Amino acid sequence: MIAKPGAAVAYEEVGLAWFELAVQGAYNYAGSPPRAEARNANVDAAALVTALTAWFPTYTKRNTSGLVAPNGTVGAIAGGWPHKPAFLPQVAYVYVDLRLSPRTTPLDAPEQLDAALAEIRAAHPRLQVTRRLVRAVPGTSTDPEHPIVRGALHAWELVNERPHEWRLGTSGATDANVLRAHGVPTA
């Protein structure tokens, strides 16, 4: 058993897939006359972030099952040089965290993100973006009838003096995934 914030027993949780999206621009200098081919990678990254943020609820809805409702988020953006804001970067990076249901494999997430990126590119034809999977940890589940889960439920009900209610819609990941991946039933 592991401790995790929340007042409920859980037998499963999300995993995660982290992506680096490289948004291509064209290196330029703010003092140069504007050129049609000059692309500000930061501006294009902003359009990408806006579109991804609009897509994340669709991803969550598509992958919600059991106790989990896997979220997606843009956790970081890097582009340009804070000490030289007069220069437009050639590349801006957008870092995405997609949470994975135990029923979504680490290979499913890139496919779903690629489909979203295709739609985003169709809406923004000049957008040039490539993606790289940085890290993937599968979501995991323990049989809810396993003695470790049943025992945790019984203890919870004794302490709280009421019937347990499953907490639905979770999207947090912990080391329980590591334990379960090594064959250790975990609640």
Side-chain angles (χ1 to χ4, degrees):
M1 291 180 59
I2 66 161
K4 179 177 176 176
V9 175
Y11 59 84
E12 68 179 4
E13 65 186 7
V14 299
L16 53 89
W18 291 347
F19 298 92
E20 176 188 78
L21 306 180
V23 180
Q24 297 299 315
Y27 178 77
N28 200 6
Y29 170 60
S32 298
R35 300 184 330 244
E37 71 276 4
R39 301 285 301 170
N40 186 331
N42 289 333
V43 171
D44 288 351
L48 176 63
V49 168
T50 300
L52 285 170
T53 301
W55 172 74
F56 290 143
T58 301
Y59 173 84
T60 298
K61 185 176 180 181
R62 182 180 300 136
N63 293 284
T64 294
S65 66
L67 301 181
V68 302
N71 293 328
T73 192
V74 171
I77 303 168
W81 306 274
H83 63 285
K84 292 185 178 182
F87 294 92
L88 282 62
Q90 183 152 347
V91 181
Y93 297 95
V94 175
Y95 296 90
V96 171
D97 178 335
L98 285 182
R99 296 301 166 110
L100 307 176
S101 161
R103 287 149 298 279
T104 303
T105 71
L107 296 178
D108 292 335
E111 289 176 3
Q112 291 184 57
L113 180 57
D114 286 346
L117 290 173
E119 290 179 17
I120 293 167
R121 284 187 197 103
H124 303 273
R126 290 187 63 188
L127 182 65
Q128 296 177 24
V129 59
T130 57
R131 76 135 178 96
R132 179 175 72 93
L133 179 63
V134 176
R135 182 99 174 117
V137 176
T140 60
S141 186
T142 298
D143 181 345
E145 296 303 318
H146 189 279
I148 194 73
V149 177
R150 302 307 307 162
L153 286 171
H154 180 70
W156 189 97
E157 289 175 344
L158 284 174
V159 168
N160 291 283
E161 299 178 339
R162 63 184 170 90
H164 179 268
E165 294 179 25
W166 296 112
R167 185 172 172 215
L168 303 176
T170 63
S171 194
T174 69
D175 330 3
N177 283 329
V178 175
L179 294 171
R180 288 188 195 106
H182 285 89
V184 179
T186 306

